[in-house]
Amino acid sequence: MIKEDADTENRLAGAVFQLWEETNGIPGLQPTDFQPDTSTSTRTSDPAAACPLAGSAL
């Protein structure tokens, strides 16, 4: 995955992504509330703005 600025399309090194697992049976992401989905990990894009997802359950 490559992170780019939406306006300039410049690559963004150091962008942080939070990965989630659907665990509450409700479609879509629920990061809060009574039964939130589960945050599994974070990934940070490298100097080339690439964010490796190897080893992540997607």
Side-chain angles (χ1 to χ4, degrees):
M1 176 169 31
I2 303 291
K3 178 65 176 172
E4 294 180 346
D5 182 279
D7 295 324
T8 66
E9 296 184 4
N10 292 332
R11 291 184 172 199
L12 299 173
V16 177
F17 298 86
Q18 188 169 5
L19 305 180
W20 292 82
E21 180 180 353
E22 174 62 66
T23 56
N24 65 5
I26 301 169
L29 175 62
Q30 291 81 45
T32 60
D33 291 328
F34 175 67
Q35 294 178 319
D37 290 314
T38 303
S39 175
T40 59
S41 65
T42 58
R43 297 284 194 270
T44 302
S45 60
D46 64 20
C51 185
L53 296 175
S56 300
L58 297 178

